[in-house]
Amino acid sequence: MLHPRPQATGELLDATGVEADPHPQIAAEARAARILVLSISDDYPAAAKLARAALEGPRLESRYAAASLANSLATVFLGVDAFDDARRALLDARREVGGTADQAGFNALFADATEGIIDWLEGRLRDAGARFRLALAAGRDDPLSRNGGNAWAALLHATSLYERNDLRRAAHLFHLHLPTARDLGLVDHMINGHVVLSRIADGDGDVETAMGLLGELEHLAERRALPRVAASARLERARQLAGRGHLDAAREQLERAEDVEVWARVAALRLRANDTEYIEVGRVRQALHEGRPAEALPILRREIAAAAASGRHRRALHLRLLAGAAHHAGGDYETAAAWLERPLADAAREGAMRMILDEGEPLAEAIRAVAERHAAHGAGAAARDPHFRAWLEDLTAAMAPPRRAAPEVAGETLLSAPIEALTRKEREVLRLLAEGLPNATIAARLGVSDSTVRTHLRSINSKLDARNRTQAVAVARRMGVLA
C-alpha cells in the first residue's frame, strides 16, 4: 500500500490471484484491499462499484479487517456523493471495534473527521471545524507533535484553520503532517497541503517556495500516475501567475491544466480538493484578470445552477462571490452588490475568509465597494449585524493593497536608477522571474547553474535597491524595465 506508485499494489494483487481464493474470507479480505488500492489510485467510481459488491458479500471475520473496510467504504462513498452510504459505513466501523482503546479511538476519530468533510462540502464550515477539532482530540497523543495525532484529522483541521485565515497554525500542521499524507497516498490531502502552503508562501512574497511546492506536487503526480493531482497543480500555478499580473504565463498553465478526462471525472464526484478548484473556475479567473467579465458571466450562471441543483453549497457560495466580482468589473455596481450580499453574509456566518482573499484583486475590489456602501448608507440587514460588520472589517483589513497602487519602495533612488545598470543577462533573469519561475527553472532556461542565478538575483536586488525578488519585479515594472 505504501509503494510510491499505488497501481503497483494492484498489480501485486493481480499476480497473486488471491481475490479468487476458494476460501471466502481470504477472497473477501483481498477485495477489501483492492478497494483501498483503487481509492488511493484516485479511481473512486471503480472503488464504489466494488464497495457495493463488498457490502453484499460475506461479513469479514476479522474485526480489524472489517473496521478497516468500513472506513475505506466511507471514504469511497464520500467521493461518489453517496453521503448516506458513507454514514452507514461509519456505523459499521464503530460496531466492528474489538474492544481495544486504539481501535475505538481511531474509529471515533475517523467518524468525526468524515462527518466534518460532509459538513464542509455542504457549506457548514463552523460545524466542520468543530468536528475536525473533535477528531484530533480523539487521538491519544499530542496532535501537534510530529509523531502524535493522526495525519488524516490534523490536515483537515489545518484546512479549516487556513479558511479562517489562521495561517501560522495552519502552516505548522501542514508542515508536520503532509509527509505522512504523501506516504499514505491521501490524494486530496496531498493537493490541499501543497496548494495551501504554496499560497501562504506566495502571500509572503516567497515566489520561489510557492512555485517549488507546486512543482513538487506535479512531480508527485507524474511519479504516482495521478493526473488529477497534476491538473490541480497547474490550475493553482495559473491562479498565482494571474494574480501577479503574468497573464500570458497564466494562460499557458491554464491550457496545460485542460485535461478533459480529468475534469469530466471531477464533475461527477465530490472531491474536497476540487470542490471549488476546477477548470471552469480557472477560466473565470483568467477572464476576470484579463478584463473580460462578460465572458465569465455565462460560465458562472451555468455553474451556479449546476451547483445548486446538486447540493454543492460551498461551491455555490464561491461561485456567487465570483459572479459579484464579474458584475462589478463590468461596471454594473448595483447588480454586483446584490449578488454579493447573500454570499458575504453566509461567509461571515461560517467564518470563511480565504475563499475570498485568495481570489485577489477582482473580488477584493468588489468587496471594498460593498464595505464602503455599508459604511456610507448602512445598506442591508447584514450591515446592522455587529458580527458581520466586524468580520467585514477584518476581511478588508486582510486584503492586499490594490494592484494599481504604486509599490512601496525604499527611497527615491528607485525612480532614478539607470535602466542601463542592468546587464542583458540580468534582464533575462528578471523577465523569467516575473513569470513566477523558481531558480532551478530559470537556470535551465538560461543554461547556467543555480548559483549563477543567485548571483544575478543578488546583483539585481542591489542595483534596484530591492529587498526581495517580488519587490525587484515590482520596481522593474515601475521603471519600465519590464512590460
Side-chain angles (χ1 to χ4, degrees):
M1 292 301 177
L2 300 181
H3 193 281
R5 192 173 66 88
Q7 293 83 351
T9 309
E11 292 163 6
L12 179 60
L13 278 172
D14 291 337
T16 62
V18 70
E19 289 167 285
D21 194 284
H23 193 296
Q25 283 297 311
I26 293 176
E29 290 207 26
R31 283 193 292 273
R34 174 73 70 176
I35 292 168
L36 182 55
V37 169
L38 289 169
S39 68
I40 64 177
S41 301
D42 210 29
D43 191 350
Y44 285 97
K49 183 177 180 180
L50 199 57
R52 297 194 187 283
L55 289 175
E56 298 171 2
R59 192 175 188 84
L60 294 177
E61 293 175 0
S62 162
R63 285 186 165 182
Y64 175 82
S68 298
L69 172 62
N71 286 330
S72 294
L73 296 185
T75 302
V76 168
F77 287 136
L78 275 184
V80 296
D81 200 10
F83 290 175
D84 288 342
D85 289 335
R87 290 188 173 103
R88 281 194 289 272
L90 291 173
L91 286 175
D92 287 343
R94 287 180 181 272
R95 293 192 195 103
E96 298 296 349
V97 175
T100 69
D102 283 348
Q103 287 177 346
F106 179 80
N107 282 290
L109 177 155
F110 197 87
D112 280 328
T114 304
E115 287 285 359
I117 293 171
I118 294 173
D119 286 334
W120 184 268
L121 292 171
E122 293 185 340
R124 299 184 297 274
L125 305 188
R126 285 192 183 278
D127 290 347
R131 289 191 188 275
F132 296 153
R133 288 197 301 275
L134 287 172
L136 211 52
R140 293 172 55 195
D141 301 320
D142 175 11
L144 297 181
S145 71
R146 184 173 295 276
N147 297 319
N150 179 272
W152 175 267
L155 291 172
L156 290 170
H157 183 49
T159 301
S160 176
L161 290 171
Y162 177 75
E163 182 57 59
R164 298 203 304 270
N165 207 31
D166 189 346
L167 304 187
R168 182 185 61 81
R169 288 201 296 162
H172 180 61
L173 285 173
F174 276 119
H175 281 301
L176 282 174
H177 296 287
L178 186 55
T180 303
R182 287 196 295 260
D183 291 342
L184 295 176
L186 306 178
V187 177
D188 286 85
H189 277 323
M190 283 177 2
I191 295 173
N192 274 343
H194 284 84
V195 166
V196 166
L197 287 175
S198 178
R199 290 182 178 186
I200 291 172
D202 184 48
D204 289 339
D206 188 352
V207 176
E208 183 173 3
T209 297
M211 291 293 116
L213 283 160
L214 297 178
E216 180 182 320
L217 183 61
E218 199 167 359
H219 175 69
L220 278 170
E222 293 167 358
R223 189 159 60 101
R224 300 190 181 201
L226 298 171
R228 176 166 69 99
V229 177
S232 298
R234 292 160 187 162
L235 189 67
E236 175 60 20
R237 193 179 288 119
R239 188 198 69 81
Q240 292 188 24
L241 287 167
R244 291 196 291 271
H246 311 317
L247 299 181
D248 289 343
R251 196 179 310 108
E252 179 186 349
Q253 288 299 316
L254 191 61
E255 289 169 359
R256 291 187 65 221
E258 293 265 10
D259 187 320
V260 175
E261 185 177 343
V262 164
W263 297 117
R265 281 198 306 115
V266 166
L269 301 173
R270 292 294 290 272
L271 304 169
R272 284 184 302 107
N274 300 108
D275 184 40
T276 59
E277 298 298 321
Y278 59 107
I279 195 65
E280 283 81 3
V281 170
R283 295 185 189 120
V284 165
R285 285 177 177 138
Q286 189 72 17
L288 291 179
H289 281 287
E290 291 183 351
R292 298 180 284 107
E295 295 181 25
L297 284 169
I299 301 173
L300 287 165
R301 282 193 289 268
R302 182 177 67 247
E303 291 301 311
I304 289 168
S310 60
R312 298 172 187 253
H313 302 297
R314 183 169 178 266
R315 174 180 290 188
L317 169 62
H318 183 241
L319 292 167
R320 288 187 180 104
L321 290 165
L322 290 173
H327 282 292
H328 184 88
D332 191 348
Y333 304 130
E334 291 296 323
T335 301
W339 266 98
L340 289 171
E341 183 175 351
R342 177 184 164 191
L344 285 178
D346 290 344
R349 184 180 63 252
E350 299 299 334
M353 293 185 76
R354 288 312 312 188
M355 70 163 57
I356 297 170
L357 295 172
D358 288 346
E359 292 305 329
E361 190 57 24
L363 182 53
E365 185 177 347
I367 290 176
R368 287 191 199 98
V370 169
E372 291 170 4
R373 178 189 178 97
H374 283 185
H377 307 295
R384 296 188 290 274
D385 179 352
H387 297 291
F388 175 81
R389 285 159 48 201
W391 172 86
L392 186 59
E393 183 176 325
D394 289 342
L395 178 71
T396 52
M399 288 176 178
R403 199 168 61 212
R404 62 179 176 271
E408 185 178 325
V409 294
E412 292 297 322
T413 55
L414 292 176
L415 298 177
S416 57
I419 293 175
E420 293 76 12
L422 294 171
T423 66
R424 180 182 60 81
K425 189 65 74 174
E426 286 167 353
R427 292 193 195 194
E428 291 179 8
V429 170
L430 258 177
R431 178 179 57 80
L432 296 173
L433 204 64
E435 294 180 14
L437 300 178
N439 286 3
T441 305
I442 294 174
R445 291 273 187 96
L446 298 180
V448 298
S449 66
D450 281 5
S451 61
T452 299
V453 172
R454 289 194 295 271
T455 299
H456 284 314
L457 289 176
R458 285 194 295 270
S459 176
I460 290 167
N461 287 341
S462 176
K463 290 178 179 179
L464 298 182
D465 198 15
R467 292 188 296 271
N468 53 48
R469 58 201 293 138
T470 302
Q471 191 183 69
V473 170
V475 171
R477 289 188 187 282
R478 189 177 183 185
M479 293 171 58
V481 178
L482 293 170

